């Protein structure tokens, strides 16, 4: 055996082996092999924050196997992922195997394709210690905060709590938004809306009152709106101004980690964790019929918008062949990177643009893999296409000094929109098609009414909008978005309400404590500045020990002050009231949050210790035994439905119970496959099913 390549994931092993000769053995480290010990801090603060790394116990057998293979090889290549974490994993491996740190044994693959692998293997380098030190600094920072602050939270709120540097800021952002919503005072306002018919038009078009006697309107009540309506009674409506222009709409940039998570949430209803898991699979390699294991996208943890000339050229070839020359822009699309972008890799793009989603759909990919690949592929191809050109029209309509404004547009050249358009969190952009009209035309009034409105509070964060806020404020980096959200949900600081994220009582109490005593830890600007410091460590502009020292002095001082201020005090997490009563003593039941999530307990505690699980009824009944079907969650948090009599009754399903009954046997019908799926009966020997929307 001449050469050994060590990658992180076993999926990559299969893909990489396809493109290298028999002179290479490829093994997977399965991520980190060494880390700080779990049982203690593992950092010598007094001696330049020296970390004490140990081999992970569950990886001992793997370490022994890798050592044995490395001993038989002439050369070892460390091929961790192309980021800080991958660099640190490679550095730990070099330590374990006793490799020369100056040796050019580090290789990176931006894409797991033949060209990507050959490029990586042709450009070995020594381990980048700046990258390693940036990762070490982050790990040690988080360890210090977690191990020093968590015991304080145990004593002052509840045992089992944990604190984290970035997660604490995320919880604060969600709590701040919740407070904004609570404090919001809705204001009434009115609009006057009209619909008109033009002489040559067949359908009415909409317009909104804009000015009265040359002044912008601000109608606060119905009486003001009624005054306008009375003034317009019997009035003649005339077009006094028509403004036409051509609007150029540019395509969205190819995906970064953040924008991929946001768009997958909007278009596919994927949570960030699901998006990144699927993207990892697409990057590492999928078995494609006729091609074998193939990496379908470039590295998915990136904040860069850069695209290689080679990828752009392949995209142009595809666009020209399938859409025509006019869909290729006159000059290549260049997208401006954001200020704190590391720009280490390309944007997320398909490795083989010629592999359309239709080509891979029937090649053994999962439904999630197909959907996400289609999203990435369409976004990339569209990003290299010509602008969409729209003829826009703005019309002013006057009657008795009241001027209504109508705007509309028609597509002159569809450009990139023939393939893809970015979704928006606010889809208020409604099309208003205007007929052929000219200045001086008289219009027929179709309808005129005053409409009441109320100002709305800011919306709660969703995963997509929270990730967007992380990116905009500089909180975390592409690799930290998913772990941060996963952690605050798992630790019950935040919970989902549909797609929205809202703080729990535990989250709000913890945030209150942090704000009072550790304001720097939960300060957005401070945390963003710390991320910038870590970037400077990565770029060799700042020492990692100095970065830690600057942080720790102030943090330790805050911790000591908090211990004195909170001596002998505890903060109580308020219980959530329910309408249920205790089955033992009859007192009201309340909802509490424990180490394993929410549960119901008697409000008479400690005199009464009765507790029970929270169950959510669905309105459906078990097709096996006739008892209630409850909504439950698996260990991984996935929603499913099962009989309340479990384990005596084993019925469970992923299908949603409905209120409809089977016309054949009378059992509950279950919805399978979403709104375009079907209703099915799970009763044994029944077999009834009906496509949704089918009346038969």
């Amino acid at each position: 055996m001449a050469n050994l390549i060590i990658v992180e994931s076993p999926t990559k092993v299969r893909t990489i082996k396809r493109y290298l000769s028999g002179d290479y053995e490829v093994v997977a480290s399965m991520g980190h092999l060494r880390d700080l010990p779990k049982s203690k801090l593992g950092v010598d603060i007094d001696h330049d924050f020296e970390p004490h790394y140990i081999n992970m116990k569950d990886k001992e057998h793997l370490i022994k196997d890798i050592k044995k293979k490395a001993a038989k090889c002439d050369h070892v290549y460390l091929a961790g992922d192309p980021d800080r974490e991958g660099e640190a994993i490679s550095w730990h491996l070099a330590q374990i195997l006793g490799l020369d740190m100056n040796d050019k044994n580090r290789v990176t693959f931006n894409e797991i394709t033949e060209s990507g692998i050959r490029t990586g293997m042709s450009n070995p380098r020594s381990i980048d210690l700046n990258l390693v030190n940036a990762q070490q600094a982050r790990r040690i920072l988080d360890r210090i905060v977690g191990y020093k602050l968590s015991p304080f939270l145990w004593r002052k709120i509840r045992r089992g709590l944990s604190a984290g540097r970035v997660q604490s800021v995320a919880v604060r952002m969600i709590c701040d938004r919740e407070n904004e919503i609570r404090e919001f005072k809705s204001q009434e306002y009115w609009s006057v809306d009209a619909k008109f018919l033009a002489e040559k038009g067949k359908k009415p078009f909409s317009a909104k009152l804009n000015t009265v006697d040359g002044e912008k309107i601000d109608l606060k009540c119905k009486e003001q709106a009624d005054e306008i309506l009375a003034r317009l009674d019997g009035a003649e409506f005339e077009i006094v101004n028509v403004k036409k222009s051509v609007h150029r709409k540019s395509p969205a940039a190819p995906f970064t980690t953040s924008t991929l998570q946001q768009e997958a949430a909007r278009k596919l209803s994927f949570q960030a964790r699901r998006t990144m898991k699927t993207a990892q699979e697409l990057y590492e390699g999928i078995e494609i019929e006729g091609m074998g294991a193939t990496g379908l996208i470039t590295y998915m943890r990136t904040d860069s918008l850069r695209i290689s000339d080679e990828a752009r050229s392949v995209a142009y070839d595809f666009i020209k062949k399938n859409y025509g020359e006019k869909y290729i822009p006159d000059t290549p699309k260049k997208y401006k990177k954001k200020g704190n972008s590391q720009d280490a890799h390309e944007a997320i793009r398909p490795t083989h643009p010629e592999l359309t989603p239709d080509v891979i759909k029937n090649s053994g990919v999962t439904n999630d893999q197909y959907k996400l690949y289609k999203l990435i592929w369409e976004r990339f191809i569209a990003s290299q296409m010509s602008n969409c050109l729209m003829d826009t029209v703005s019309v002013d309509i006057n009657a008795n000094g009241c001027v209504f404004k109508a705007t509309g547009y028609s597509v002159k050249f569809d450009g990139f929109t023939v393939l893809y358009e970015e979704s928006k969190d606010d889809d208020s952009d409604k099309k208003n098609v205007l007929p052929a009209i000219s200045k001086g035309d008289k219009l027929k009034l179709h309808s005129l009414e005053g409409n009441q409105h109320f100002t709305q509070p800011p919306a709660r964060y969703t995963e997509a909008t929270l990730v967007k806020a992380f990116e905009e404020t500089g909180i975390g980096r592409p690799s930290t978005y998913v772990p941060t959200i996963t952690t605050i949900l798992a630790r019950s600081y935040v919970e989902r309400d549909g797609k929205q994220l809202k703080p729990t009582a535990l989250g709000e109490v913890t945030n209150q404590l942090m704000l009072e005593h550790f304001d720097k830890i939960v300060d957005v600007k401070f945390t963003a500045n710390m991320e910038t410091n870590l970037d400077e460590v990565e770029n060799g502009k700042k020492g990692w020990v100095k970065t830690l020292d600057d942080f720790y002095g102030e943090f330790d001082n805050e911790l000591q002050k908090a211990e004195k201020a909170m001596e002998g005090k505890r903060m109580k997490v308020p219980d959530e009231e329910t309408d249920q009563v205790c089955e033992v003593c009859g007192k009201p039941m309340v909802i509490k949050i424990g180490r394993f999530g929410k549960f119901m307990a008697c409000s008479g505690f400690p005199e009464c210790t009765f507790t029970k699980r929270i169950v959510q009824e669905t309105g459906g009944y078990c097709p096996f035994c006739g008892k209630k079907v409850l909504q439950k969650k698996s260990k991984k948090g996935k929603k499913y439905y099962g009989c309340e009599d479990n384990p005596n009754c084993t019925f469970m399903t992923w299908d949603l119970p409905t209120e409809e009954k089977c016309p054949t046997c009378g059992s509950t019908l279950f919805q399978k496959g979403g709104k375009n799926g079907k209703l099915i009966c799970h009763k044994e020997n029944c077999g009834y099913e009906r496509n949704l929307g089918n009346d038969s």
Side-chain angles (χ1 to χ4, degrees):
M1 190 191 302
N3 302 288
L4 178 67
I5 300 176
I6 307 174
V7 297
E8 290 183 38
S9 163
T11 309
K12 287 185 195 172
V13 172
R14 185 177 68 247
T15 313
I16 292 171
K17 276 184 174 180
R18 288 187 57 233
Y19 302 117
L20 297 176
S21 67
D23 293 335
Y24 292 90
E25 171 73 6
V26 188
V27 297
S29 71
M30 311 295 289
H32 278 280
L33 295 176
R34 295 201 311 171
D35 197 8
L36 298 171
K38 290 183 178 179
S39 57
K40 58 183 179 180
L41 180 62
V43 178
D44 190 345
I45 293 171
D46 297 327
H47 293 87
D48 291 340
F49 301 91
E50 183 181 349
H52 173 57
Y53 294 113
I54 61 171
N55 292 347
M56 295 178 174
K57 286 186 178 180
D58 60 342
K59 298 282 185 76
E60 289 289 358
H61 179 75
L62 181 58
I63 291 170
K64 194 178 292 184
D65 184 53
I66 290 174
K67 279 184 172 181
K68 192 182 294 183
K69 288 179 178 176
K72 297 176 184 178
C73 292
D74 297 327
H75 201 91
V76 176
Y77 291 98
L78 307 170
D81 285 347
D83 56 14
R84 286 179 192 167
E85 204 74 23
E87 204 73 19
I89 289 171
S90 298
W91 179 75
H92 283 299
L93 275 165
Q95 297 273 347
I96 290 169
L97 300 175
L99 303 180
D100 184 351
M101 290 296 169
N102 295 315
D103 192 8
K104 292 188 175 182
N105 53 21
R106 175 75 168 116
V107 293
T108 57
F109 309 128
N110 189 50
E111 56 186 65
I112 310 299
T113 60
E114 183 171 9
S115 63
I117 291 164
R118 297 203 183 283
T119 299
M121 294 304 297
S122 299
N123 295 279
R125 57 171 173 79
S126 57
I127 291 172
D128 187 333
L129 290 179
N130 288 331
L131 276 171
V132 174
N133 288 335
Q135 191 277 339
Q136 279 199 114
R138 176 185 284 280
R139 183 75 184 94
I140 293 168
L141 267 174
D142 292 343
R143 172 55 66 101
I144 288 172
V145 171
Y147 269 65
K148 293 277 187 178
L149 199 49
S150 295
F152 178 77
L153 296 180
W154 295 0
R155 294 191 297 274
K156 303 307 172 188
I157 301 179
R158 196 193 68 208
R159 281 195 66 81
L161 294 184
S162 65
R165 191 174 53 84
V166 179
Q167 77 180 49
S168 296
V169 182
V171 172
R172 180 190 176 169
M173 291 167 72
I174 292 168
C175 287
D176 285 352
R177 179 59 58 87
E178 196 70 17
N179 288 332
E180 285 180 55
I181 293 169
R182 286 178 186 143
E183 293 169 7
F184 182 83
K185 289 182 171 56
S186 185
Q187 300 291 323
E188 179 185 8
Y189 69 98
W190 284 70
S191 64
V192 175
D193 304 302
K195 286 190 176 180
F196 298 103
L197 272 170
E199 187 179 333
K200 298 176 182 177
K202 294 181 179 179
K203 292 184 178 179
F205 64 92
S206 301
K208 189 178 289 287
L209 181 63
N210 186 43
T211 63
V212 175
D213 297 329
E215 299 288 332
K216 282 277 187 182
I217 62 158
D218 184 17
L219 306 179
K220 300 289 188 183
C221 60
K222 184 177 186 300
E223 288 72 23
Q224 290 177 321
D226 286 343
E227 283 180 21
I228 300 292
L229 294 175
R231 178 171 173 171
L232 292 170
D233 188 27
E236 185 179 73
F237 293 87
E238 179 184 353
I239 295 177
V240 293
N241 187 38
V242 177
K243 184 179 178 182
K244 295 183 179 180
S245 61
V246 176
H247 173 67
R248 287 172 173 79
K249 184 178 181 182
S250 299
F255 282 128
T256 61
T257 302
S258 167
T259 54
L260 175 63
Q261 291 175 14
Q262 292 172 52
E263 191 73 339
R266 288 187 291 247
K267 273 189 161 42
L268 306 177
S269 297
F270 280 14
Q271 292 173 8
R273 191 174 183 178
R274 181 178 176 186
T275 297
M276 295 312 291
K277 174 181 178 293
T278 308
Q280 181 89 34
E281 293 163 356
L282 293 172
Y283 164 69
E284 291 179 350
I286 305 292
E287 286 286 342
I288 301 296
E289 195 174 322
M291 296 180 67
T294 303
L296 292 176
I297 65 170
T298 53
Y299 194 54
M300 64 287 157
R301 293 187 184 94
T302 179
D303 52 13
S304 171
L305 296 174
R306 182 167 46 82
I307 289 294
S308 70
D309 292 337
E310 180 186 1
R312 182 177 288 108
S313 177
V314 175
Y316 282 176
D317 288 343
F318 180 88
I319 294 166
K320 184 177 179 180
K321 180 180 176 182
N322 291 274
Y323 296 100
E325 189 82 44
K326 62 182 179 178
Y327 285 87
I328 298 176
D330 296 333
T331 56
K333 295 284 184 186
K334 296 286 179 72
Y335 296 95
K336 198 173 182 181
K337 70 175 185 178
K338 297 194 174 175
N340 60 358
S341 170
Q342 294 172 290
D343 204 39
H345 315 295
E346 286 187 64
I348 303 169
R349 63 166 175 82
T351 56
H352 298 284
E354 69 277 9
L355 283 180
T356 66
D358 287 341
V359 170
I360 73 150
K361 186 174 186 179
N362 300 314
S363 298
V365 296
T366 66
N367 196 36
D368 278 7
Q369 289 165 355
Y370 166 72
K371 286 179 178 177
L372 195 66
Y373 180 75
K374 184 173 185 287
L375 192 68
I376 293 168
W377 183 90
E378 288 181 348
R379 174 84 162 222
F380 169 67
I381 296 295
S383 74
Q384 303 307 306
M385 296 175 79
S386 300
N387 292 342
C388 170
L389 302 180
M390 295 182 290
D391 286 324
T392 62
V393 183
S394 177
V395 178
D396 292 336
I397 305 157
N398 181 53
N400 288 347
C402 300
V403 177
F404 289 77
K405 185 173 284 291
T407 57
Y409 66 87
S410 60
V411 176
K412 185 176 183 180
F413 172 60
D414 53 10
F416 72 92
T417 64
V418 72
L419 178 63
Y420 173 91
E421 283 192 78
E422 184 180 29
S423 298
K424 301 291 182 184
D425 293 313
D426 176 15
D427 62 349
S428 58
D429 182 23
K430 305 292 184 185
K431 292 183 179 179
N432 190 24
V433 180
L434 301 184
I437 43 183
S438 303
K439 183 177 179 180
D441 285 357
K442 300 294 191 295
L443 299 175
K444 181 180 178 182
L445 184 64
H446 182 267
S447 64
L448 180 67
E449 55 187 12
N451 289 308
Q452 184 185 38
H453 308 274
F454 293 93
T455 54
Q456 297 298 311
R460 286 190 180 122
Y461 285 111
T462 62
E463 282 198 11
T465 56
L466 186 60
V467 166
K468 186 178 181 181
F470 286 164
E471 185 179 41
E472 289 175 345
T473 55
I475 301 300
R477 289 297 179 262
S479 61
T480 65
Y481 299 150
V482 170
T484 299
I485 293 172
T486 301
T487 299
I488 62 177
L489 285 165
R491 290 175 179 165
S492 297
Y493 294 134
V494 172
E495 62 186 1
R496 286 194 178 91
D497 182 5
K499 288 187 177 183
Q500 296 181 329
L501 300 174
K502 68 175 185 178
T504 61
L506 174 64
E508 296 198 79
V509 168
T510 305
N511 181 61
Q512 182 187 339
L513 179 65
M514 295 292 290
L515 279 169
E516 289 175 3
H517 300 288
F518 302 96
D519 57 328
K520 283 286 177 66
I521 294 290
V522 291
D523 183 76
V524 171
K525 288 183 179 178
F526 177 81
T527 305
N529 188 54
M530 182 57 69
E531 292 295 340
T532 302
N533 290 338
L534 292 174
D535 290 344
E536 289 184 351
V537 172
E538 177 178 327
N539 296 326
K541 296 177 181 177
K542 193 167 186 176
W544 70 281
V545 174
K546 178 71 166 60
T547 299
L548 290 170
D549 197 47
D550 290 345
F551 169 82
Y552 184 73
E554 195 167 357
F555 170 70
D556 188 50
N557 187 43
E558 279 191 336
L559 186 58
Q560 290 181 37
K561 284 182 178 177
E563 290 282 9
K564 287 181 182 178
M566 290 289 290
E567 189 174 357
K569 299 177 184 177
R570 284 182 68 88
M571 296 185 76
K572 181 175 173 58
V573 179
D575 297 326
E576 188 179 331
E577 296 180 0
T578 74
D579 57 1
Q580 296 190 39
V581 295
C582 177
E583 298 169 21
V584 175
C585 69
K587 289 184 178 179
M589 295 289 284
V590 294
I591 295 175
K592 293 179 176 286
I593 301 177
R595 290 184 64 185
F596 304 104
K598 289 187 174 184
F599 66 96
M600 295 192 77
C602 179
S603 59
F605 180 85
E607 289 77 18
C608 179
T609 58
F610 177 74
T611 62
K612 68 177 183 178
R613 289 184 305 124
I614 295 174
V615 295
Q616 187 170 338
E617 296 183 5
T618 64
Y621 293 89
C622 178
F624 291 6
C625 69
K627 292 188 177 179
K628 293 177 181 177
V629 172
L630 306 178
Q631 178 182 304
K632 303 183 178 185
K633 280 189 177 180
S634 67
K635 288 181 180 179
K636 291 186 177 180
K638 193 172 181 181
K639 189 190 300 181
Y640 72 96
Y641 306 94
C643 181
E644 67 174 341
D645 198 27
N646 181 272
N648 296 323
C649 178
T650 59
F651 173 74
M652 72 78 58
T653 180
W654 302 107
D655 304 331
L656 176 69
T658 71
E659 295 182 0
E660 277 201 59
K661 302 297 181 187
C662 176
T664 304
C665 69
S667 291
T668 292
L669 288 177
F670 292 77
Q671 184 175 327
K672 186 181 184 70
K675 62 182 180 181
N676 296 318
K678 56 187 177 181
L679 294 175
I680 61 174
C681 180
H682 284 295
K683 186 81 170 179
E684 191 176 4
N685 299 324
C686 178
Y688 174 82
E689 63 178 55
R690 184 179 85 242
N691 290 331
L692 287 170
N694 189 344
D695 295 326
S696 60

